Structure formats: C-alpha cells, structure tokens
Amino acid sequence: MFKAMRNYCAGIYQSRYFWWNLTLADLRFKYRRSTLGILWSVFQPLAMTLLLSFIMGRFFKMPMHYLAPYIFIGMVTWELLLSSMMTGCNALINAESYIKLFTHPMSIYPLRSILAVFINFLCGSVGAVGWALVAMPENFSWSYLALIPAGAIIFFWCWSAAIVCAFAGVRFVDLPQLLVIVMQMIWYASPVFFPLDLFRGAKIGWLLNYNPVYHLLELLRQPMLHGSFPALIHWVWSLGVMIVLMLLAMLAVRIWERRTIYYF
C-alpha cells in the first residue's frame, strides 16, 4: 500500500511541468485583457470588507482598525475554501480530453484547479498581512511564523476536498448545486465576518467549538490580530480535519480513479 502511494506521488511529481503549465494557462485566461489582473484577488474582498466593516462596526461598536482585517482574512479564506470545492467538482470533467490522451495521475487535475485559486489566496493574504502590520504594528512578532504551517494546512485541506469533489462530481452532476446549499449553511455558522462575541453572546458558542472553519481562521487571525501563536486546540482541529480529508481523498483515488474513464 505504501509503495503504491509512493509511486502515485512520484507520478504527480514527474508530471509537475504539465499541471503547472495548465495552472498558468488558467490564470492567463482568467485575467486576459484585464487591467489589474491578479490584483483583483485583493481588490474584490477589499471592497466587500470595507462595506461590511462600516456596517458591522456601527452595529457592534467595534473599532475599524481591528474589524477590517478580521473580515478581510475571513473573506479571502472563505473564497479559497468555496472556490476549491466548486472548481474541484468540474476538475475531471473539464480535463476529459487530457485524461483520454495521457495516463497521468488524475489527482493532478484537482491540483491544477485549486492552485489557481490558492495563488489568488496568497495574494490576498499578503494584502491582509500588510494591512495588519499597518493597522496593528504592535502585534508583529515571531507568531507570524505560524502562518507558514497554517498555509500548508489550508493547501492540503483544499486539495484533498477538491479531489473528493472531482471524483464525486463525475458521478453526481448535481453536486455543485448541493454544495452551494451546504456551504451557505456553513457560512452563517462560521465567524467569517461575524464577530466571535456575537456567537457567544447569543449562547451558540458551541457552533465555534465544533466548527473546523473557525479553528482554521484562528490559525491566521491570532498571529496577525493578536500577536500570539494559535492555541493548541486550533492546531489539533485543523490538522485532524486535514488528515480526514486526505484519507478520504486517497480512498476516492483508490476506488474511483480507474473507473472514472467509463463515465465520460
């Protein structure tokens, strides 16, 4: 089993030039003839952040210099999670012509789909870090190093979820519509832009304790907004969910990869 897994990962690495060039082609196509190009990955969540910060700041009497980066981090992270699954649903369907021609591991096609949105996320994250440094320079410390493993966890979250969605999407064409409903439910149960005190004040703090999105967001927010290393509970939850998603992805590859070609 471990040998097969090692050979599979080696196949992904050997085809790295192929899927990386597909990713670059996706980015070029997305921003073709655009004036700002990839900077839209910063300006789009920034515009929504400014609007929500103004409204939420008035409602909850929170200072803008804290609330704005809080919302911005939530927006760019949520956009990554949502886009990874939605693009993952069609990753194999859109790559049908390549799958029929080449024998590359099929996991490279969900990888291709999430790399483009992950690059957008990184651009947005750089903007969030810059914003936090300007608004709260006193929080800059060694805790910022926690953002590196946090970014790796987010990446494997997205890739694993995209793999599962990709194989399921070939068989269940209604999966994207179902995911929209599920993700909307998770959106309102997560502190993407709602302040944490809103959940605790409404006596629904348990939604935070058992919501993996909350723990993932805290890996990013605590270093930038509080200047502290994320609490152990956030690492445990985020790593645990990552491992579960990776196991599901490996199971999907093992069961469905050889059969997927018959669904095209």
Side-chain angles (χ1 to χ4, degrees):
M1 178 179 177
F2 291 104
K3 183 179 180 180
M5 186 185 306
R6 183 181 61 190
N7 292 336
Y8 192 84
C9 292
I12 295 175
Y13 177 76
Q14 290 169 1
S15 59
R16 62 191 182 278
Y17 298 112
F18 176 68
W19 51 258
W20 177 245
N21 278 282
L22 289 179
T23 300
L24 295 179
D26 289 341
L27 287 171
R28 285 193 293 266
F29 179 79
K30 181 177 181 179
Y31 297 113
R32 184 177 57 182
R33 302 179 66 182
S34 171
T35 303
L36 295 177
I38 202 169
L39 290 178
W40 280 116
S41 60
V42 177
F43 287 120
Q44 284 179 336
L46 179 61
M48 183 62 69
T49 294
L50 293 175
L51 175 61
L52 290 174
S53 297
F54 176 77
I55 297 173
M56 304 289 282
R58 293 296 183 91
F59 274 114
F60 299 105
K61 309 300 182 183
M62 296 183 67
M64 285 282 291
H65 79 279
Y66 172 84
L67 186 59
Y70 176 92
I71 294 176
F72 189 79
I73 294 169
M75 295 296 293
V76 296
T77 306
W78 180 260
E79 180 63 25
L80 171 65
L81 297 178
L82 180 62
S83 297
S84 296
M85 286 188 286
M86 298 305 295
T87 58
C89 289
N90 296 315
L92 296 181
I93 296 173
N94 293 338
E96 178 182 351
S97 58
Y98 296 118
I99 293 173
K100 290 180 177 179
L101 289 174
F102 306 110
T103 58
H104 297 310
M106 289 190 186
S107 296
I108 69 171
Y109 300 110
L111 175 61
R112 162 209 182 176
S113 71
I114 70 107
L115 273 176
V117 294
F118 191 77
I119 290 172
N120 287 333
F121 165 75
L122 290 178
C123 292
S125 298
V126 170
V129 170
W131 196 339
L133 289 176
V134 172
M136 293 167 285
E138 67 278 5
N139 290 337
F140 181 69
S141 66
W142 290 105
S143 62
Y144 270 64
L145 293 176
L147 297 176
I148 299 174
I153 291 173
I154 293 173
F155 174 80
F156 284 107
W157 261 45
C158 295
W159 187 15
S160 301
I163 290 173
V164 175
C165 290
F167 285 108
V170 174
R171 290 156 179 77
F172 310 107
V173 295
D174 294 328
L175 181 61
Q177 288 73 24
L178 178 62
L179 275 179
V180 169
I181 299 174
V182 172
M183 293 304 289
Q184 282 180 341
M185 295 169 62
I186 297 175
W187 161 273
Y188 288 109
S190 304
V192 176
F193 64 91
F194 290 126
L196 298 178
D197 293 340
L198 179 65
F199 289 85
R200 298 191 177 108
K203 298 181 179 180
I204 53 174
W206 58 271
L207 280 176
L208 300 180
N209 298 331
Y210 300 103
N211 187 339
V213 175
Y214 158 66
H215 296 286
L216 190 69
L217 287 172
E218 286 301 293
L219 294 186
L220 302 175
R221 282 172 171 162
Q222 286 194 5
M224 286 191 274
L225 303 184
H226 303 288
S228 62
F229 284 96
L232 180 61
I233 186 66
H234 303 312
W235 290 110
V236 171
W237 263 94
S238 299
L239 283 169
V241 173
M242 184 192 77
I243 292 171
V244 170
L245 288 173
M246 291 179 69
L247 290 175
L248 289 174
M250 288 188 287
L251 184 63
V253 168
R254 183 178 179 85
I255 295 176
W256 289 338
E257 179 158 18
R258 294 184 179 179
R259 304 175 187 176
T260 296
I261 190 67
Y262 301 112
Y263 287 84
F264 292 133

